[in-house]
Amino acid sequence: RLSPDGKVPNDAPTTLRDLPAGVHNIQVSAERYKVFEMPIEIEGKDIEQTLSVELQPAWADASFDSSPQGAAVLIDGEAIGATPLSAELLEGSRKIEVNLKGYKPWRRTFPVVAGEALNVPRILLQKADGIISVSSTPSKATITVNGEYKGKTPLNINVSPDKALTVRAIKPGYTPASKSVTVASGESEKLLLELDAELAQVRFIITPEDAEVSINGEKQPQANQVLQLPTHEHEIVI
């Protein structure tokens, strides 16, 4: 596209007619090429002058490879192929992303200089985390994975893939429960931990016998009795 003095561009090759004598600014542009711009002295007098321009590429050759191969390569969010791959990248700052199912995305930003080859070192993709969705009966149990605190149920936990893990649930008044699990890369597992109540015998001896007793806000049918209560703190009102 050829533009004289910033006017409407013409498709080249072309002949510009009726240019007044004097200096004119000529701009030549094409997709994926650097813009050419320079002042031209026009002689006038119906003299025909010739301008020949060789545009310079505005891209650089780039190569990509990954382990494992077959990963999708995206440039500024646009997919251009799969590794191993050679491509031409336009100059400027380019966001490069490499994706493969079951692996963590690889992202970098590179300055691309026209005419200078971009050789990205071989990309070693890391396996994606596995996910464990942990629930418990009762809920709000404390969860550890290989002894490391993770939170209270219900919760989702990102874990290292293909590794034997011990998931343990703890709650006051209940016997701890644990299970072993191994999660594949990029996969998820549901895990239910059922905790059995840990009970203790409590004998109530109250005078007068017609006193009212409530445990944790729940009224009891009689005062003097023997109850099995979970082994944690309770509120008893007489």
Side-chain angles (χ1 to χ4, degrees):
R1 306 286 284 166
L2 186 147
S3 301
D5 300 323
K7 295 180 180 178
V8 176
N10 301 266
D11 289 335
T14 187
T15 299
L16 302 179
R17 302 185 184 279
D18 301 325
L19 286 176
V23 177
H24 294 265
N25 188 65
I26 303 297
Q27 185 184 86
V28 184
S29 61
E31 188 177 355
R32 294 174 53 80
Y33 286 83
K34 293 186 176 182
V35 175
F36 171 89
E37 187 172 4
M38 69 176 296
I40 300 293
E41 179 74 31
I42 300 299
E43 299 179 31
K45 303 177 184 179
D46 282 334
I47 296 174
E48 184 173 310
Q49 297 171 240
T50 301
L51 175 64
S52 179
V53 175
E54 183 177 350
L55 298 179
Q56 299 300 310
W59 71 80
D61 292 325
S63 59
F64 304 94
D65 198 4
S66 65
S67 177
Q69 294 181 335
V73 179
L74 292 84
I75 306 299
D76 295 333
E78 182 179 351
I80 63 170
T83 58
L85 174 69
S86 295
E88 296 175 349
L89 304 186
L90 290 177
E91 63 182 351
S93 179
R94 296 285 166 253
K95 295 180 180 179
I96 301 173
E97 182 174 336
V98 179
N99 289 329
L100 184 63
K101 184 178 180 181
Y103 291 82
K104 295 179 180 179
W106 181 93
R107 299 183 181 93
R108 297 288 189 280
T109 299
F110 288 95
V112 178
V113 180
E116 295 184 12
L118 177 64
N119 295 312
V120 179
R122 192 179 193 194
I123 300 164
L124 302 178
L125 297 174
Q126 304 296 318
K127 286 188 176 182
D129 289 340
I131 300 176
I132 305 176
S133 298
V134 186
S135 58
S136 67
T137 305
S139 61
K140 304 300 182 183
T142 297
I143 298 297
T144 63
V145 177
N146 287 355
E148 182 179 350
Y149 172 79
K150 294 297 182 181
K152 294 184 181 294
T153 57
L155 78 164
N156 295 323
I157 309 170
N158 291 337
V159 296
S160 299
D162 306 321
K163 181 180 178 181
L165 305 168
T166 299
V167 182
R168 182 178 174 87
I170 304 169
K171 188 177 178 71
Y174 295 85
T175 302
S178 62
K179 287 184 180 180
S180 296
V181 63
T182 301
V183 186
S185 175
E187 300 296 329
S188 61
E189 292 282 346
K190 291 184 178 180
L191 198 63
L192 172 63
L193 294 172
E194 298 179 310
L195 290 79
D196 294 326
E198 193 175 54
L199 302 177
Q201 182 173 283
V202 181
R203 180 183 298 275
F204 290 85
I205 305 174
I206 301 170
T207 303
E209 294 184 354
D210 61 350
E212 291 185 350
V213 177
S214 64
I215 301 175
N216 300 326
E218 183 177 340
K219 185 177 179 181
Q220 300 299 305
Q222 61 189 57
N224 293 312
Q225 59 182 319
V226 176
L227 295 177
Q228 300 287 333
L229 297 180
T231 57
H232 60 78
E233 186 176 271
H234 300 272
E235 182 184 65
I236 299 174
V237 177
I238 302 174

